[in-house]
Amino acid sequence: MSAAAADLFPIERRRLRVAGVDEAGRGPLAGPVAVAAVILDPKRRIRGLDDSKKLTAAQREALYPKIVQRALAWHIEMVAVEEIDRLNILHATLEGMRRCVLALGAQVELVRIDGNTLPKALPCMAEALVGGDALEPAIMAASILAKVARDRLMCELHATHPHYGFDAHKGYPTPAHLAALALHGPCLHHRRSFAPVREAEARAREREQEPLEA
């Protein structure tokens, strides 16, 4: 079910274990989509939680180890480019969310997911919460884990593919990234199901087929 803040299941956090779930990286042209699930410990408060998009990179990095250390449970799932291209980005993200919840096991009693769509076949109660990363602390924590984990991975990919600038734009379709795609064509980490990547690949093939000048 999709829920607004006033329609949430009434819960007593000390009695019901809530897993917050969020993703990072649905919009980029390259790299996996990262999904995280977090069950916060009500006895170990984490100050400074917020929607990851509202935090600086330094703030996210500072919060990441606190979440990992203080949460009752957490899991990060990376859904690979191949699966994104096979399923499409929405269904790949939902599958990553489902895997995250399953990874936390039977301790999860209620799942709150940022957005308006729930994965299928979840093993417990669940609700989709539009704007949940600004309302539910467990979703905030999940958004931070997903964002930091994905950003770190994109910086690692930059080491082997430096001409795309993954360390700067993290795969998002910035002018610099689109220019690099036009110049070099896509690499194996680009999402072929995304139109700008398909177009860049088609142009690269056309250049390869052009006859050499005498």
Side-chain angles (χ1 to χ4, degrees), residues 121-158:
L122 291 176
C124 60
M125 293 187 299
E127 54 194 7
L129 179 57
V130 176
D133 48 10
L135 299 170
E136 167 59 57
I139 294 178
M140 297 175 191
S143 75
I144 292 167
L145 292 194
K147 175 64 173 169
V148 171
R150 188 180 187 281
D151 284 357
R152 290 175 179 176
L153 177 59
M154 295 309 294
C155 288
E156 292 176 10
L157 295 184
H158 173 75

Side-chain angles (χ1 to χ4, degrees), residues 27 73 176 184 186:
H184 303 288

Side-chain angles (χ1 to χ4, degrees), residues 14-154:
R14 295 184 181 276
R15 297 181 181 178
L16 192 63
R17 288 193 171 178
V18 178
V21 181
D22 203 1
E23 53 76 26
R26 284 182 62 173
L29 304 179
V33 61
V35 183
V38 178
I39 302 174
L40 292 175
D41 186 345
K43 298 179 181 179
R44 305 187 71 187
R45 184 179 177 184
I46 303 172
R47 296 184 183 276
L49 289 179
D50 203 343
D51 175 4
S52 64
K53 296 184 290 296
K54 297 179 181 178
L55 301 171
T56 66
Q59 288 172 324
R60 291 192 297 265
E61 285 286 351
L63 285 165
Y64 185 98
K66 294 179 181 179
I67 297 168
V68 168
Q69 293 163 11
R70 299 180 191 179
L72 290 173
W74 61 276
H75 182 75
I76 299 171
E77 190 80 22
M78 293 288 181
V79 184
V81 168
E82 294 80 8
E83 196 162 8
I84 292 171
D85 287 340
R86 179 170 58 84
L87 297 177
N88 78 40
I89 185 60
L90 173 60
H91 288 96
T93 301
L94 293 174
E95 175 58 19
M97 290 178 171
R98 187 186 71 84
R99 292 173 188 168
C100 270
V101 173
L102 291 178
L104 295 185
Q107 62 186 314
V108 182
E109 296 172 305
L110 170 63
V111 176
R112 282 184 169 164
I113 292 177
D114 183 50
N116 58 10
T117 307
L118 289 174
K120 295 179 180 179
L122 291 176
C124 60
M125 293 187 299
E127 54 194 7
L129 179 57
V130 176
D133 48 10
L135 299 170
E136 167 59 57
I139 294 178
M140 297 175 191
S143 75
I144 292 167
L145 292 194
K147 175 64 173 169
V148 171
R150 188 180 187 281
D151 284 357
R152 290 175 179 176
L153 177 59
M154 295 309 294

